Amino acid sequence: MLKLLNDNEIKAKRIFLQVDESSLKSTIGKRNLLGASYFMPYINLNSSIKNHMKIYDANYKYDVYFPFYRYIKYNPKIGYRELLLTLGGKKRADNFFIGLKTTFDKKNETYQFVKKYNNSLLTKIKEYAKENNIQITLYTSPYYNRKNNQEFDLFCKENNIINYTGSIKSIKYFKDLGHLNNKGARQFTLSIIKNFGL
């Protein structure tokens, strides 16, 4: 994303990047399907996307040279079903996508953090930002009822990531264990605005 902004000469004083715990569990050859899906329609149109996917996409050759493969693989975001719904002016059912409505109410559920994280891509992001004079602020979003989070907290501290994982406690602000609902998103946005004087 930073490379695309640079390619298109889009400038900002400061860019906030959310660091998702699940992204840090990723390794080379295992791309995040949701994140990658946004870039797939442009994989043959932009060298930054193409070069990035060449490194991180185990299915790179299929995604580049077999267009129907990528539209099937990333169908929930860019597939023909989405195209037909858009052309027909129809919307998906509320329960078909990850929205901001609360989907759980179990107070005893906990978000379990893993024990090991991979910061190789994070390091490259920071290096690219520094080389191109891009001021980035890395932060995490809140998680509900965190457990085994000591290693993640330490990782955030060592990598200058502002850690908001435990900043919101009440279940009423969460859609599920790892996502805020509408009320929570509004409260978290106000916290970010206040904390950074935006």
Side-chain angles (χ1 to χ4, degrees):
M1 188 171 26
L2 290 178
K3 289 177 182 177
L4 285 175
L5 290 173
N6 230 16
D7 289 351
N8 290 286
E9 299 181 1
I10 297 171
K11 306 290 182 189
K13 288 182 181 177
R14 184 181 207 167
I15 295 175
F16 288 81
L17 294 178
Q18 182 204 342
V19 179
D20 195 314
E21 194 252 358
S22 63
S23 298
L24 295 170
K25 295 186 274 189
S26 301
T27 56
I28 289 176
K30 293 184 179 179
R31 76 254 187 261
N32 179 304
L33 286 176
L34 180 62
S37 67
Y38 295 110
F39 301 103
M40 280 299 143
Y42 313 101
I43 197 166
N44 287 313
L45 301 174
N46 183 281
S47 59
S48 292
I49 294 172
K50 200 168 192 173
N51 293 333
H52 180 83
M53 291 300 178
K54 193 180 286 187
I55 298 168
Y56 293 99
D57 186 356
N59 295 324
Y60 170 77
K61 288 183 181 177
Y62 292 103
D63 286 337
V64 172
Y65 300 113
F66 297 94
F68 289 103
Y69 174 83
R70 67 176 172 263
Y71 284 100
I72 292 168
K73 184 78 176 173
Y74 301 94
N75 188 51
K77 282 289 177 186
I78 63 170
Y80 287 108
R81 182 179 188 280
E82 294 302 304
L83 174 64
L84 293 174
L85 284 173
T86 302
L87 292 175
K90 301 203 177 212
K91 294 181 180 179
R92 293 185 290 182
D94 282 346
N95 62 358
F96 185 78
F97 68 105
I98 296 175
L100 295 175
K101 292 183 178 177
T102 300
T103 58
F104 82 126
D105 60 2
K106 298 176 184 173
K107 292 185 178 180
N108 60 346
E109 285 193 49
T110 61
Y111 185 90
Q112 298 284 339
F113 286 82
V114 298
K115 300 258 180 186
K116 191 175 181 183
Y117 299 100
N118 179 350
N119 72 342
S120 59
L121 187 55
L122 189 61
T123 300
K124 288 182 181 180
I125 290 170
K126 290 196 270 189
E127 287 171 355
Y128 181 83
K130 187 175 181 180
E131 288 166 9
N132 291 278
N133 296 318
I134 301 169
Q135 183 185 357
I136 60 169
T137 298
L138 303 171
Y139 72 97
T140 68
S141 291
Y143 290 85
Y144 177 69
N145 204 9
R146 307 179 308 154
K147 296 293 177 194
N148 303 323
N149 54 284
Q150 295 81 5
E151 188 143 348
F152 183 74
D153 291 350
L154 181 61
F155 180 89
C156 288
K157 188 175 181 181
E158 290 172 347
N159 289 280
N160 297 319
I161 301 168
I162 301 167
N163 187 353
Y164 286 105
T165 56
S167 64
I168 296 178
K169 309 285 187 202
S170 174
I171 194 172
K172 72 180 181 179
Y173 293 111
F174 287 87
K175 175 198 176 299
D176 56 34
L177 294 172
H179 298 92
L180 295 167
N181 61 21
N182 189 39
K183 281 184 185 176
R186 288 176 184 277
Q187 180 172 316
F188 185 52
T189 300
L190 291 174
S191 297
I192 294 285
I193 291 168
K194 181 180 177 184
N195 293 348
F196 293 98
L198 301 174

